[in-house]
Amino acid sequence: QIARIAVNRYRLPGVEVAAELVRDYPFGDLFAHSIGYVGRISEKDLQKIEDDGDEENYYGVFSIGKVGIEKYYEKTLLGTPGAQNVETDVRGRILRTLDRKDPVRGATLTLYLDVRMQQAAVDALAGRRGAVVAIDVNTGGVVTAVSNPAFNPNLFVAGISSKDYSALRDSPDLPLLNRIVAGEYPPGSTIKPLLALAGLDGGFITPDYQIYDPGFFQLPGQTRKFRDWKKGGHGGGINAYLAIAQSCDIFFYQLANRMGIDYMHNFLSPFGFGQPTGIDISGERPGVLPSRAWKRKRFKQAWYPGDTINAGIGQGYHLTTPMQLAEATAILARRGIRIQPHFVKAIDGVDVVPIVNTPILLHNPHNWDIAIGGMHE
């Protein structure tokens, strides 16, 4: 094609062949949902560029970050285009350069993501739908972020075909859904350590407090039975430590009934539930951390005691993203130190300083030991 144009240039005034650099993602779908991809600038992108007054920065630029880190750090990665005034002959050949403005390259990002851990997470999922997130508790850096199934981001770089896009869009496995930050699911038993911590810190229970678990729980005056996952229950002598270790539903039904939904909401909120984590990636959803006020606003309904019991084992209205859950677990591991999770470790070799938020302080710091000890068990 280039040769044909070259020999026919005298017939094509103003036409020239120029090389264009394009993005290439060598790991294919392994980082599709975290790094994301760039694609051709659309009319919608162009409108936003004009609204932001960035037209000059996109002269001669054909691609823009569409999702993921590529979108979040678009301006950091973009750089500044160069320009030159030239004098040409009648056939468009450049005779001389009158003046020139050199381009400035975009920044280089270094990520916390680890290729081997990423691959290990994909292998562990074994083709199942799901997400895996791992955070370095010392830095808040996200070392693993997998959403499965994924897609090949290289398909989007030069413009994806209608056939390929339809296959991705219409798949029942939702490969385009970034489950890491946009998948909202009931957290289930994963929040039991935090609820035990809430009960201990609020004085609703003590470390020595024990229950007998017959395998079910009933609200006073009610016939409905809330069942334990273990048929016949866990028996007697179940304290907070063992309740976490054995994931005893009955312990947390009773504890939730004592605490009430509003206390649970207020205690869990600083752990990052019900709000974006602030992770440096596009498309994050806030999840749902229910309360009386939330239900009244959302459904125009009162909060019922049974709603509280369900919330005690992370069910009912509670929804969380895998990233939120990873952050909450990291905060527990750090004993209340809150570091905003982030993907980017350094920009042009300069380390990014993590954002550290106000720590969670307990009335009795020993309570951290009980929750963490139960997790180890």
Side-chain angles (χ1 to χ4, degrees):
Q1 289 174 334
I2 294 173
R4 284 180 178 178
I5 291 173
V7 298
N8 286 284
R9 279 192 65 177
Y10 69 94
R11 298 176 177 173
L12 302 167
V15 173
E16 60 178 285
V17 176
E20 177 191 344
L21 294 175
V22 295
R23 271 279 200 272
D24 175 59
Y25 299 100
F27 292 102
D29 60 359
L30 190 60
F31 295 97
H33 288 102
S34 49
I35 293 177
Y37 59 85
V38 298
R40 294 291 183 183
I41 295 175
S42 66
E43 288 186 18
K44 183 178 178 182
D45 296 325
L46 196 58
Q47 185 61 55
K48 187 177 186 306
I49 290 169
E50 292 174 358
D51 292 343
D52 293 343
D54 283 343
E55 295 99 321
E56 286 189 12
N57 290 328
Y58 284 88
Y59 289 159
V61 177
F62 304 101
S63 298
I64 192 170
K66 295 289 187 176
V67 297
I69 292 169
E70 288 276 27
K71 180 176 181 180
Y72 190 93
Y73 285 96
E74 166 65 18
K75 291 186 178 181
T76 305
L77 293 163
L78 177 63
T80 305
Q84 61 181 3
N85 280 327
V86 297
E87 185 179 298
T88 67
D89 63 15
V90 70
R91 291 184 177 179
R93 293 192 181 95
I94 297 175
L95 300 177
R96 60 175 178 150
T97 300
L98 303 177
D99 60 72
R100 174 184 174 89
K101 176 187 174 185
D102 289 328
V104 178
R105 71 167 182 82
T108 295
L109 304 184
T110 304
L111 309 181
Y112 283 97
L113 288 170
D114 183 280
V115 176
R116 290 171 299 173
M117 290 184 65
Q118 194 84 351
Q119 187 61 58
V122 172
D123 294 343
L125 284 168
R128 294 183 294 255
R129 287 179 293 197
V132 178
V133 179
I135 291 176
D136 180 345
V137 295
N138 295 313
T139 62
V142 179
V143 294
T144 307
V146 169
S147 179
N148 203 55
F151 57 90
N152 184 357
N154 291 302
L155 293 173
F156 289 87
V157 173
I160 190 169
S161 69
S162 297
K163 180 181 177 182
D164 288 338
Y165 184 73
S166 296
L168 293 172
R169 182 195 59 201
D170 301 333
S171 170
D173 291 328
L174 304 177
L176 294 177
L177 172 63
N178 187 350
R179 291 170 166 87
I180 300 163
V181 294
E184 298 173 303
Y185 314 99
S189 296
T190 56
I191 63 165
K192 286 177 179 175
L194 302 179
L195 291 175
L197 201 61
L200 291 164
D201 192 59
F204 295 96
I205 56 173
T206 66
D208 299 324
Y209 171 79
Q210 299 180 359
I211 69 156
Y212 174 78
D213 171 16
F216 64 89
F217 169 77
Q218 289 174 289
L219 285 164
Q222 301 289 324
T223 57
R224 177 186 173 184
K225 291 183 178 180
F226 294 86
R227 302 285 181 179
D228 197 296
W229 69 265
K230 185 177 182 181
K231 190 174 181 180
H234 296 262
I238 303 297
N239 57 17
Y241 182 88
L242 290 176
I244 297 170
Q246 299 180 22
S247 193
C248 175
D249 290 337
I250 306 306
F251 185 94
F252 291 98
Y253 289 149
Q254 293 190 20
L255 178 58
N257 192 43
R258 285 184 170 210
M259 293 191 294
I261 190 61
D262 290 325
Y263 177 81
M264 292 161 61
H265 171 277
N266 294 339
F267 188 87
L268 291 175
S269 182
F271 284 89
F273 295 108
Q275 57 198 300
T277 64
I279 184 75
D280 48 349
I281 191 174
S282 63
E284 185 177 22
R285 294 185 63 84
V288 174
L289 181 60
S291 65
R292 292 178 190 274
W294 172 85
K295 188 180 180 185
R296 194 178 303 114
K297 181 179 179 181
R298 176 69 175 80
F299 294 107
K300 306 293 190 292
Q301 293 178 0
W303 187 269
Y304 300 111
D307 295 334
T308 302
I309 305 307
N310 285 328
I313 60 166
Q315 299 291 346
Y317 298 109
H318 195 163
L319 296 175
T320 183
T321 67
M323 183 60 70
Q324 287 175 326
L325 206 49
E327 180 195 23
T329 308
I331 293 171
L332 172 61
R334 298 189 207 102
R335 299 170 185 265
I337 296 174
R338 299 196 301 160
I339 304 174
Q340 185 170 300
H342 52 288
F343 283 102
V344 174
K345 182 178 183 180
I347 300 176
D348 276 343
V350 179
D351 287 346
V352 173
V353 179
I355 297 173
V356 180
N357 297 309
T358 306
I360 297 171
L361 302 177
L362 301 184
H363 293 103
N364 182 357
H366 177 63
N367 291 332
W368 292 113
D369 298 331
I370 297 172
I372 291 171
M375 287 283 277
H376 277 294
E377 288 297 309

